[in-house]
């Protein structure tokens, strides 16, 4: 009787194992498809915040409940005009949201958003020299439902400013439709020595709504 009782659970476990594995795989696929996804950083455009070959986790669910906020780092499907091919993922920082009036630059060489100067300590610097917030003056208002995005490495980023210039100052060509945003990058998880949260810098707190 003892042997029969111990064999029965073992037999039941092996019968249930394929079902358990199938459920685990399904859950992993659903999480990846709907909730979280990993992305690697292929370029210099977000240095020094993000380095080439960093791995980030992206929350794909958050913008189903709200719109992107200023200062967040987002992954989006780039327009063909930006990448040369359809469906390529870009990662940039949201500078302005729908209705925002963004100007470069004030007397202290800072962007202003809705009249509020923005200090940007995350802008790329090397050998004590920091990039300018923009390589030329501009004065734009972001259309509703769209985003003005820029890379932290301003001198090496194909972003809203570059496409505003290239398109003859067409604001729609320079901005991203909110519907094309894949999700918010919220942490670097690899390499381990660079792991950190990608929180919104406090410098965005004083910016008023449009």
């Amino acid at each position: 009787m003892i042997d029969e009782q111990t064999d029965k659970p073992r037999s039941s476990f092996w019968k249930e194992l394929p079902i358990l594995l199938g459920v685990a795989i399904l859950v992993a696929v659903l999480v990846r498809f709907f909730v979280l996804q990993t992305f690697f950083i292929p370029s210099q455009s977000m240095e020094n915040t993000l380095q080439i070959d960093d791995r980030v986790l992206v929350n794909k669910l958050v913008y189903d409940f709200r719109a992107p906020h200023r200062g967040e780092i987002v992954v989006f499907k780039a327009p063909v005009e930006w990448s040369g091919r359809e469906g390529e993922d870009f990662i940039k920082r949201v500078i302005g949201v729908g209705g925002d009036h963004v100007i470069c630059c004030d007397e202290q060489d800072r962007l202003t958003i809705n009249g509020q100067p923005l200090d940007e300590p995350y802008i790329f610097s090397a050998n004590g020299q920091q990039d300018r917030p923009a390589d030329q003056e501009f004065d734009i208002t972001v259309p509703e439902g769209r985003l003005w995005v820029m890379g932290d490495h301003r001198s090496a980023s194909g972003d809203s400013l570059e496409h505003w210039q290239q398109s003859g100052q067409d604001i729609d060509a320079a901005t991203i439709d909110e519907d094309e945003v894949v999700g918010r990058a919220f942490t670097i998880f690899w390499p381990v020595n660079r792991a950190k949260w990608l929180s919104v810098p406090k410098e965005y707190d004083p910016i008023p709504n449009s």
Side-chain angles (χ1 to χ4, degrees):
M1 292 292 292
I2 294 175
D3 290 340
E4 290 178 0
Q5 289 175 343
T6 56
D7 286 346
K8 186 174 180 180
R10 288 177 183 173
S11 175
S12 176
F13 171 78
W14 288 111
K15 287 179 181 179
E16 293 174 359
L17 182 59
I19 297 173
L20 294 173
L21 288 175
V23 170
I25 292 170
L26 178 61
V27 169
V29 170
L30 290 174
V31 167
R32 184 186 185 281
F33 192 79
F34 292 107
V35 183
L36 297 175
Q37 189 168 348
T38 63
F39 288 85
F40 84 97
I41 306 305
S43 73
Q44 302 173 331
S45 70
M46 282 295 294
E47 290 177 340
N48 285 317
T49 305
L50 302 175
Q51 303 284 357
I52 293 175
D53 290 334
D54 278 355
R55 264 63 172 176
V56 298
L57 268 180
V58 172
N59 183 333
K60 300 175 68 175
L61 197 61
V62 60
Y63 298 137
D64 288 340
F65 300 96
R66 66 168 177 84
H69 292 169
R70 302 179 200 96
E72 293 179 337
I73 296 173
V74 297
V75 172
F76 59 91
K77 297 295 182 184
V80 174
E81 294 78 12
W82 284 40
S83 65
R85 57 185 179 183
E86 190 171 355
E88 186 173 355
D89 294 321
F90 274 32
I91 186 165
K92 305 290 179 188
R93 189 182 298 275
V94 177
I95 301 297
V97 299
D100 281 348
H101 185 197
V102 186
I103 299 175
C104 175
C105 285
D106 69 1
E107 293 179 354
Q108 297 182 41
D109 206 24
R110 299 172 297 184
L111 299 182
T112 65
I113 304 174
N114 303 328
Q116 175 68 39
L118 175 66
D119 291 309
E120 298 183 274
Y122 48 77
I123 289 180
F124 175 81
S125 63
N127 301 318
Q129 193 72 25
Q130 187 179 54
D131 277 3
R132 293 194 63 231
D135 62 8
Q136 74 167 58
E137 294 183 356
F138 65 91
D139 184 335
I140 60 96
T141 298
V142 184
E144 292 296 334
R146 301 188 72 83
L147 306 170
W148 180 272
V149 297
M150 301 180 79
D152 290 355
H153 193 166
R154 297 289 159 82
S155 60
S157 177
D159 52 26
S160 287
L161 180 56
E162 179 184 71
H163 293 283
W164 184 76
Q165 296 166 337
Q166 292 180 352
S167 65
Q169 302 184 3
D170 180 343
I171 191 61
D172 287 325
T175 50
I176 298 300
D177 191 321
E178 287 181 2
D179 290 340
E180 295 303 314
V181 176
V182 174
R184 177 186 175 186
F186 66 94
T187 185
I188 301 171
F189 71 91
W190 191 264
V192 173
N193 64 344
R194 284 187 40 75
K196 65 178 179 180
W197 298 110
L198 298 171
S199 56
V200 175
K202 67 182 187 306
E203 286 78 10
Y204 284 86
D205 293 345
I207 295 175
N209 291 327
S210 57

